[in-house]
Coordinates of all heavy atoms in Angstrom, one line a residue:
M21 N 111.3 98.0 113.3 CA 110.1 97.2 113.3 C 110.4 95.8 113.8 O 111.3 95.1 113.3 CB 109.5 97.1 111.9 CG 108.2 96.3 111.8 SD 107.4 96.6 110.2 CE 108.7 96.3 109.1
D22 N 109.7 95.4 114.8 CA 110.1 94.1 115.5 C 109.5 92.9 114.8 O 110.0 91.8 114.9 CB 109.8 94.1 117.0 CG 108.3 94.4 117.2 OD1 107.6 94.9 116.3 OD2 107.8 94.1 118.3
H23 N 108.4 93.1 114.2 CA 107.7 91.9 113.6 C 107.0 92.4 112.3 O 106.2 93.2 112.3 CB 106.7 91.3 114.5 CG 105.9 90.3 113.9 ND1 106.4 89.1 113.5 CD2 104.6 90.2 113.5 CE1 105.5 88.3 113.0 NE2 104.4 89.0 113.0
E24 N 107.4 91.7 111.2 CA 106.8 92.0 109.9 C 105.8 90.9 109.6 O 106.1 89.7 109.8 CB 107.9 92.0 108.8 CG 107.4 92.6 107.5 CD 108.6 92.9 106.5 OE1 109.7 93.1 107.0 OE2 108.4 92.8 105.4
L25 N 104.7 91.3 109.1 CA 103.7 90.3 108.8 C 104.1 89.4 107.6 O 104.8 89.9 106.7 CB 102.4 91.0 108.2 CG 101.4 91.7 109.2 CD1 100.2 92.2 108.5 CD2 101.0 90.7 110.3
S26 N 103.8 88.2 107.8 CA 104.0 87.2 106.6 C 102.8 87.3 105.8 O 101.8 87.8 106.2 CB 104.2 85.8 107.2 OG 103.0 85.4 107.7
C27 N 102.9 86.8 104.6 CA 101.8 86.8 103.7 C 100.6 86.0 104.3 O 99.5 86.3 104.1 CB 102.2 86.2 102.3 SG 103.3 87.4 101.4
Q28 N 101.0 84.9 104.9 CA 100.0 84.0 105.6 C 99.2 84.9 106.6 O 98.0 84.8 106.7 CB 100.7 82.9 106.3 CG 99.8 82.0 107.2 CD 99.1 80.9 106.4 OE1 99.8 80.1 105.7 NE2 97.8 80.7 106.6
E29 N 99.9 85.6 107.5 CA 99.3 86.4 108.5 C 98.4 87.5 107.8 O 97.3 87.9 108.3 CB 100.3 87.1 109.4 CG 101.0 86.1 110.3 CD 102.2 86.6 111.0 OE1 103.0 87.3 110.4 OE2 102.3 86.4 112.2
F30 N 99.0 88.1 106.8 CA 98.2 89.1 106.0 C 96.9 88.6 105.6 O 95.9 89.3 105.8 CB 99.1 89.5 104.8 CG 98.5 90.6 104.0 CD1 98.8 91.9 104.2 CD2 97.5 90.3 103.0 CE1 98.3 92.9 103.4 CE2 97.0 91.3 102.2 CZ 97.4 92.6 102.5
V31 N 96.8 87.4 105.0 CA 95.6 86.9 104.5 C 94.6 86.6 105.7 O 93.4 86.8 105.5 CB 95.9 85.6 103.7 CG1 94.6 84.8 103.4 CG2 96.6 85.9 102.4
E32 N 95.2 86.2 106.8 CA 94.3 85.9 108.0 C 93.7 87.2 108.5 O 92.6 87.2 109.1 CB 95.2 85.2 109.1 CG 95.7 83.9 108.7 CD 94.6 82.8 108.4 OE1 93.5 82.9 109.0 OE2 94.9 82.0 107.6
L33 N 94.4 88.3 108.3 CA 93.9 89.6 108.9 C 93.0 90.4 108.0 O 92.5 91.4 108.4 CB 95.1 90.5 109.3 CG 96.0 90.0 110.5 CD1 97.2 90.9 110.6 CD2 95.2 90.1 111.8
I34 N 92.9 89.9 106.7 CA 92.3 90.8 105.7 C 90.9 91.2 106.0 O 90.5 92.3 105.8 CB 92.5 90.2 104.3 CG1 92.4 91.3 103.3 CG2 91.5 89.0 104.0 CD1 93.0 90.9 101.9
T35 N 90.1 90.2 106.5 CA 88.7 90.5 106.8 C 88.6 91.6 107.9 O 87.8 92.5 107.8 CB 87.9 89.3 107.2 OG1 88.7 88.3 107.8 CG2 87.0 88.8 106.1
E36 N 89.4 91.4 108.9 CA 89.4 92.4 110.0 C 89.8 93.8 109.5 O 89.3 94.8 109.9 CB 90.3 91.9 111.2 CG 89.7 90.8 111.9 CD 90.7 90.2 112.9 OE1 91.0 90.9 113.9 OE2 91.2 89.1 112.7
Y37 N 90.8 93.8 108.7 CA 91.3 95.1 108.1 C 90.2 95.8 107.4 O 89.9 96.9 107.6 CB 92.5 94.8 107.2 CG 92.9 96.1 106.4 CD1 93.6 97.1 107.0 CD2 92.6 96.2 105.1 CE1 94.0 98.2 106.4 CE2 92.9 97.4 104.4 CZ 93.6 98.4 105.0 OH 94.0 99.5 104.3
L38 N 89.5 95.0 106.5 CA 88.5 95.6 105.6 C 87.2 96.0 106.5 O 86.5 96.9 106.1 CB 88.1 94.6 104.5 CG 89.2 94.4 103.5 CD1 88.9 93.2 102.6 CD2 89.4 95.7 102.7
E39 N 87.1 95.4 107.6 CA 86.0 95.8 108.5 C 86.4 96.9 109.5 O 85.6 97.3 110.3 CB 85.5 94.5 109.3 CG 84.7 93.6 108.4 CD 84.5 92.2 109.1 OE1 85.0 92.0 110.2 OE2 83.8 91.4 108.5
G40 N 87.6 97.3 109.4 CA 88.1 98.3 110.3 C 88.3 97.8 111.7 O 88.3 98.6 112.7
A41 N 88.5 96.5 111.9 CA 88.5 95.9 113.2 C 90.0 95.6 113.7 O 90.1 95.2 114.8 CB 87.8 94.6 113.2
L42 N 91.0 96.0 112.9 CA 92.3 95.8 113.4 C 92.7 96.8 114.5 O 92.3 97.9 114.4 CB 93.3 95.9 112.2 CG 93.4 94.7 111.2 CD1 94.4 95.0 110.2 CD2 93.6 93.4 111.9
T43 N 93.6 96.4 115.3 CA 94.3 97.4 116.2 C 95.1 98.3 115.4 O 95.5 98.0 114.3 CB 95.2 96.6 117.3 OG1 96.2 96.0 116.6 CG2 94.4 95.6 118.1
A44 N 95.4 99.5 115.9 CA 96.3 100.4 115.2 C 97.6 99.8 114.8 O 98.1 100.0 113.7 CB 96.5 101.7 116.1
D45 N 98.2 99.0 115.7 CA 99.5 98.4 115.5 C 99.4 97.4 114.4 O 100.2 97.5 113.4 CB 99.9 97.7 116.8 CG 101.3 97.1 116.7 OD1 102.2 97.9 116.2 OD2 101.5 96.0 117.1
N46 N 98.4 96.6 114.4 CA 98.3 95.6 113.3 C 97.9 96.3 112.0 O 98.4 95.8 110.9 CB 97.2 94.6 113.6 CG 97.7 93.4 114.5 OD1 98.9 93.2 114.5 ND2 96.8 92.7 115.1
R47 N 97.2 97.3 112.0 CA 96.8 98.0 110.8 C 98.0 98.6 110.2 O 98.2 98.6 108.9 CB 95.8 99.1 111.2 CG 95.2 99.8 110.0 CD 94.2 100.9 110.4 NE 93.7 101.6 109.3 CZ 92.7 101.2 108.6 NH1 92.0 100.2 108.9 NH2 92.3 101.9 107.5
T48 N 98.9 99.2 111.0 CA 100.2 99.8 110.4 C 101.0 98.7 109.8 O 101.5 98.9 108.6 CB 101.0 100.4 111.6 OG1 100.2 101.5 112.1 CG2 102.3 101.0 111.0
R49 N 101.1 97.6 110.4 CA 101.9 96.5 109.8 C 101.3 95.9 108.5 O 102.0 95.6 107.6 CB 102.1 95.3 110.8 CG 102.9 95.7 112.1 CD 103.6 94.6 112.7 NE 102.8 93.4 113.0 CZ 102.4 93.0 114.2 NH1 102.8 93.7 115.2 NH2 101.6 92.0 114.3
F50 N 100.0 95.9 108.6 CA 99.2 95.4 107.4 C 99.5 96.3 106.2 O 99.8 95.9 105.1 CB 97.7 95.4 107.8 CG 96.8 94.8 106.7 CD1 96.4 93.4 106.9 CD2 96.4 95.5 105.6 CE1 95.6 92.8 105.9 CE2 95.5 94.9 104.7 CZ 95.1 93.6 104.9
E51 N 99.4 97.6 106.4 CA 99.6 98.6 105.4 C 101.0 98.6 104.9 O 101.3 98.8 103.7 CB 99.1 100.0 105.8 CG 97.5 100.0 105.9 CD 97.0 101.2 106.5 OE1 97.7 102.1 107.0 OE2 95.7 101.4 106.4
M52 N 101.9 98.4 105.8 CA 103.3 98.3 105.3 C 103.6 97.1 104.4 O 104.3 97.2 103.4 CB 104.3 98.3 106.5 CG 104.3 99.6 107.3 SD 105.5 99.6 108.6 CE 107.0 99.6 107.7
H53 N 102.9 96.0 104.8 CA 103.1 94.8 104.0 C 102.5 95.0 102.6 O 103.1 94.7 101.6 CB 102.3 93.6 104.6 CG 102.6 92.3 104.0 ND1 103.5 91.4 104.4 CD2 102.0 91.8 102.9 CE1 103.5 90.4 103.6 NE2 102.6 90.5 102.7
V54 N 101.4 95.7 102.5 CA 100.8 96.0 101.1 C 101.7 96.8 100.3 O 101.8 96.5 99.1 CB 99.4 96.8 101.3 CG1 98.9 97.2 99.9 CG2 98.4 95.9 101.9
H55 N 102.5 97.7 100.9 CA 103.3 98.6 100.1 C 104.5 97.8 99.5 O 105.0 98.2 98.4 CB 103.9 99.7 101.0 CG 102.9 100.8 101.2 ND1 102.4 101.5 100.2 CD2 102.3 101.3 102.4 CE1 101.6 102.4 100.7 NE2 101.5 102.3 102.0
H56 N 105.0 96.7 100.1 CA 106.1 96.1 99.5 C 105.8 94.7 98.9 O 106.6 94.0 98.5 CB 107.3 96.0 100.4 CG 107.1 95.1 101.6 ND1 107.1 93.7 101.5 CD2 106.8 95.3 102.9 CE1 106.8 93.2 102.7 NE2 106.7 94.1 103.5
C57 N 104.5 94.3 99.0 CA 104.1 92.9 98.5 C 103.0 93.0 97.5 O 101.9 93.3 97.8 CB 103.7 92.1 99.7 SG 103.3 90.4 99.2
E58 N 103.4 92.9 96.2 CA 102.5 93.1 95.1 C 101.3 92.0 95.2 O 100.2 92.4 94.9 CB 103.2 92.9 93.8 CG 102.5 93.5 92.6 CD 103.3 93.5 91.3 OE1 104.6 93.6 91.4 OE2 102.7 93.3 90.3
G59 N 101.6 90.8 95.5 CA 100.6 89.8 95.6 C 99.5 90.1 96.5 O 98.3 90.0 96.2
C60 N 99.9 90.6 97.7 CA 98.9 91.0 98.7 C 98.1 92.2 98.3 O 96.9 92.3 98.6 CB 99.6 91.1 100.1 SG 100.1 89.5 100.8
A61 N 98.8 93.2 97.7 CA 98.2 94.4 97.2 C 97.0 94.0 96.3 O 95.9 94.6 96.3 CB 99.2 95.3 96.6
T62 N 97.3 93.1 95.3 CA 96.3 92.6 94.4 C 95.2 92.0 95.1 O 94.0 92.2 94.8 CB 97.0 91.6 93.4 OG1 98.1 92.3 92.7 CG2 96.0 91.2 92.4
Y63 N 95.5 91.2 96.1 CA 94.5 90.4 96.8 C 93.5 91.4 97.6 O 92.3 91.3 97.5 CB 95.2 89.5 97.9 CG 94.2 88.5 98.5 CD1 93.5 87.6 97.8 CD2 94.1 88.5 99.9 CE1 92.7 86.7 98.4 CE2 93.3 87.6 100.6 CZ 92.6 86.7 99.8 OH 91.8 85.8 100.4
V64 N 94.1 92.5 98.2 CA 93.3 93.5 98.8 C 92.4 94.2 97.8 O 91.2 94.4 98.1 CB 94.2 94.5 99.6 CG1 93.4 95.7 100.0 CG2 94.8 93.9 100.7
D65 N 92.9 94.5 96.7 CA 92.1 95.1 95.6 C 90.9 94.3 95.2 O 89.8 94.7 95.1 CB 93.0 95.4 94.4 CG 93.8 96.6 94.5 OD1 93.6 97.4 95.5 OD2 94.7 96.8 93.7
Q66 N 91.2 93.0 95.1 CA 90.1 92.0 94.7 C 89.0 92.0 95.8 O 87.8 92.0 95.5 CB 90.7 90.6 94.5 CG 91.5 90.6 93.2 CD 92.2 89.3 93.0 OE1 92.3 88.4 93.9 NE2 92.8 89.0 91.8
M67 N 89.5 92.0 97.1 CA 88.5 92.0 98.2 C 87.7 93.3 98.2 O 86.5 93.2 98.4 CB 89.3 91.8 99.5 CG 90.0 90.5 99.7 SD 88.9 89.1 99.5 CE 87.8 89.4 100.9
R68 N 88.4 94.4 97.9 CA 87.6 95.7 97.9 C 86.6 95.7 96.8 O 85.5 96.2 97.0 CB 88.6 96.8 97.7 CG 89.4 97.1 99.0 CD 89.9 98.6 98.9 NE 90.5 98.9 100.2 CZ 91.8 99.1 100.4 NH1 92.6 99.0 99.4 NH2 92.3 99.4 101.6
Q69 N 86.9 95.1 95.6 CA 86.0 95.0 94.5 C 84.8 94.2 94.9 O 83.6 94.5 94.6 CB 86.7 94.5 93.3 CG 87.5 95.6 92.6 CD 88.4 95.0 91.5 OE1 88.1 93.9 91.0 NE2 89.5 95.6 91.3
T70 N 85.1 93.1 95.6 CA 84.0 92.2 96.0 C 83.1 92.9 96.9 O 81.8 92.8 96.8 CB 84.6 90.9 96.8 OG1 85.5 90.3 95.9 CG2 83.5 90.0 97.2
I71 N 83.6 93.7 97.9 CA 82.8 94.4 98.8 C 81.9 95.4 98.1 O 80.8 95.6 98.3 CB 83.7 95.1 99.9 CG1 84.3 94.0 100.8 CG2 82.8 96.1 100.7 CD1 85.4 94.5 101.6
A72 N 82.6 96.1 97.1 CA 81.9 97.1 96.3 C 80.7 96.5 95.6 O 79.6 97.1 95.5 CB 82.8 97.8 95.3
L73 N 80.9 95.3 95.1 CA 79.8 94.6 94.3 C 78.7 94.1 95.3 O 77.5 94.2 95.0 CB 80.4 93.4 93.5 CG 81.2 93.8 92.3 CD1 81.9 92.6 91.7 CD2 80.3 94.4 91.2
M74 N 79.2 93.5 96.4 CA 78.2 92.8 97.3 C 77.6 93.7 98.3 O 76.6 93.4 98.9 CB 78.9 91.6 98.0 CG 79.6 90.7 97.1 SD 78.5 89.9 95.8 CE 77.6 88.8 96.9
G75 N 78.2 94.9 98.5 CA 77.7 95.8 99.6 C 78.3 95.6 100.9 O 78.5 96.5 101.7
K76 N 78.6 94.3 101.2 CA 79.3 94.0 102.5 C 80.1 92.7 102.4 O 79.9 92.0 101.4 CB 78.3 93.9 103.6 CG 77.4 92.6 103.5 CD 76.3 92.7 104.5 CE 76.7 92.3 105.9 NZ 76.6 90.8 106.2
L77 N 80.9 92.5 103.3 CA 81.8 91.4 103.3 C 81.3 90.3 104.3 O 81.0 90.7 105.4 CB 83.2 91.8 103.7 CG 84.3 90.7 103.6 CD1 84.6 90.3 102.2 CD2 85.6 91.3 104.2
T78 N 81.3 89.1 103.9 CA 81.0 88.0 104.8 C 82.1 87.0 104.6 O 82.8 87.0 103.5 CB 79.7 87.4 104.6 OG1 79.7 86.7 103.4 CG2 78.5 88.4 104.6
E79 N 82.3 86.1 105.5 CA 83.3 85.1 105.4 C 83.1 84.2 104.1 O 84.1 83.8 103.5 CB 83.2 84.1 106.6 CG 84.0 84.6 107.8 CD 85.5 84.8 107.6 OE1 86.0 83.9 106.9 OE2 86.0 85.8 108.0
G80 N 81.9 84.1 103.7 CA 81.6 83.3 102.5 C 82.2 83.8 101.3 O 82.3 83.1 100.3
H81 N 82.5 85.1 101.3 CA 83.0 85.7 100.1 C 84.5 85.4 99.9 O 85.0 85.6 98.8 CB 82.8 87.2 100.1 CG 81.4 87.6 100.0 ND1 80.9 88.6 100.7 CD2 80.4 87.1 99.2 CE1 79.6 88.7 100.4 NE2 79.3 87.8 99.5
I82 N 85.2 85.0 100.9 CA 86.6 84.6 100.8 C 86.6 83.1 100.6 O 86.5 82.3 101.6 CB 87.4 85.0 102.0 CG1 87.2 86.5 102.3 CG2 88.9 84.7 101.8 CD1 87.9 86.9 103.6
S83 N 86.7 82.6 99.4 CA 86.7 81.2 99.2 C 88.0 80.6 99.7 O 89.1 81.2 99.6 CB 86.4 80.8 97.8 OG 87.5 81.1 97.0
E84 N 88.0 79.4 100.2 CA 89.2 78.7 100.5 C 90.1 78.5 99.3 O 91.3 78.5 99.4 CB 88.9 77.3 101.2 CG 88.3 77.5 102.6 CD 89.1 78.3 103.5 OE1 90.3 78.0 103.6 OE2 88.6 79.2 104.2
Q85 N 89.5 78.3 98.2 CA 90.2 78.1 97.0 C 91.0 79.4 96.6 O 92.2 79.3 96.3 CB 89.3 77.8 95.8 CG 90.0 77.5 94.5 CD 90.9 76.3 94.6 OE1 90.5 75.2 95.1 NE2 92.1 76.4 94.1
A86 N 90.4 80.5 96.8 CA 91.1 81.8 96.5 C 92.3 82.0 97.4 O 93.4 82.4 97.0 CB 90.2 83.0 96.6
K87 N 92.1 81.7 98.7 CA 93.2 81.7 99.7 C 94.3 80.8 99.3 O 95.5 81.2 99.4 CB 92.6 81.3 101.1 CG 92.3 82.4 102.0 CD 92.1 81.9 103.4 CE 91.4 82.9 104.3 NZ 91.1 82.4 105.6
A88 N 93.9 79.6 98.9 CA 95.0 78.6 98.6 C 95.8 79.1 97.4 O 97.0 78.9 97.4 CB 94.3 77.2 98.3
N89 N 95.1 79.7 96.4 CA 95.8 80.2 95.2 C 96.8 81.2 95.6 O 97.9 81.2 95.1 CB 94.8 80.7 94.2 CG 94.0 79.7 93.5 OD1 94.4 78.5 93.5 ND2 92.9 80.1 92.9
V90 N 96.4 82.2 96.4 CA 97.3 83.3 96.9 C 98.5 82.7 97.6 O 99.6 83.0 97.3 CB 96.5 84.3 97.7 CG1 97.5 85.2 98.4 CG2 95.5 85.0 96.9
L91 N 98.2 81.8 98.5 CA 99.3 81.3 99.4 C 100.3 80.4 98.5 O 101.5 80.5 98.8 CB 98.8 80.5 100.5 CG 98.0 81.4 101.5 CD1 97.4 80.6 102.6 CD2 99.0 82.4 102.2
R92 N 99.8 79.7 97.6 CA 100.7 78.9 96.7 C 101.5 79.9 95.9 O 102.7 79.6 95.7 CB 99.8 78.0 95.8 CG 100.7 77.0 95.1 CD 99.9 75.9 94.5 NE 98.8 76.3 93.7 CZ 97.5 76.0 94.0 NH1 97.2 75.3 95.0 NH2 96.6 76.5 93.2
A93 N 101.0 81.0 95.4 CA 101.8 81.9 94.6 C 102.9 82.5 95.5 O 104.0 82.7 95.0 CB 100.9 83.1 94.1
F94 N 102.6 82.8 96.7 CA 103.6 83.3 97.6 C 104.7 82.3 97.9 O 105.9 82.6 97.9 CB 103.0 83.7 99.0 CG 102.0 84.8 98.9 CD1 101.0 84.9 99.8 CD2 102.3 85.9 98.0 CE1 100.1 86.0 99.7 CE2 101.4 87.0 98.0 CZ 100.3 87.0 98.8
A95 N 104.3 81.1 98.0 CA 105.3 80.0 98.3 C 106.3 79.9 97.1 O 107.5 79.8 97.3 CB 104.6 78.7 98.5
D96 N 105.7 80.0 95.9 CA 106.6 79.9 94.7 C 107.5 81.1 94.7 O 108.7 81.0 94.4 CB 105.7 80.0 93.4 CG 104.9 78.7 93.2 OD1 105.3 77.7 93.9 OD2 104.0 78.7 92.4
W97 N 107.0 82.3 95.0 CA 107.8 83.5 95.0 C 109.0 83.4 96.0 O 110.1 83.7 95.7 CB 106.8 84.6 95.3 CG 107.4 86.0 95.3 CD1 107.8 86.7 94.1 CD2 107.8 86.9 96.3 NE1 108.3 87.9 94.5 CE2 108.3 88.1 95.8 CE3 107.6 86.8 97.7 CZ2 108.7 89.1 96.6 CZ3 108.0 87.8 98.5 CH2 108.6 89.0 97.9
K98 N 108.7 82.9 97.1 CA 109.7 82.8 98.2 C 110.8 81.8 97.8 O 112.0 81.9 98.1 CB 109.1 82.4 99.5 CG 108.5 83.6 100.2 CD 107.7 83.2 101.4 CE 107.2 84.5 102.1 NZ 106.0 84.2 102.9
R99 N 110.4 80.7 97.1 CA 111.4 79.7 96.7 C 112.4 80.3 95.7 O 113.5 79.8 95.5 CB 110.7 78.5 96.0 CG 110.6 77.3 96.9 CD 110.3 76.0 96.2 NE 109.1 76.1 95.3 CZ 107.9 75.9 95.7 NH1 107.6 75.7 96.9 NH2 106.9 76.0 94.8
E100 N 112.0 81.4 95.0 CA 112.9 82.0 94.1 C 114.0 82.8 94.8 O 114.8 83.5 94.1 CB 112.1 82.8 93.1 CG 111.4 81.9 92.1 CD 110.3 82.7 91.3 OE1 110.3 83.9 91.3 OE2 109.4 82.0 90.8
G101 N 113.9 82.9 96.1 CA 115.0 83.5 96.8 C 114.8 84.9 97.4 O 115.7 85.5 97.8
H102 N 113.5 85.3 97.5 CA 113.2 86.6 98.1 C 113.1 86.5 99.6 O 112.6 85.5 100.1 CB 111.9 87.1 97.5 CG 112.0 87.4 96.0 ND1 112.5 88.6 95.5 CD2 111.6 86.7 95.0 CE1 112.5 88.5 94.2 NE2 111.9 87.4 93.9
Ligands
ZN14 ZN1 102.3 89.5 101.1

């Protein structure tokens, strides 16, 4: 694998993923990231639940605050040496 998604890239791609708009290549990388990154797996689950509740996804459903929380958690995790 020549390029692994970072958590930042993952969060940026999540709407496209959930809308089925990713290229096959990006989709594969996205799914591989979910398999080894618990934080992102949880985030995807939360997004899916939001969609299930709301019927559809719009940009407004992803609050900047939620994104910031996720990315801060990742930053802490990385500082611990992973
Ligand atoms: Zn991640």
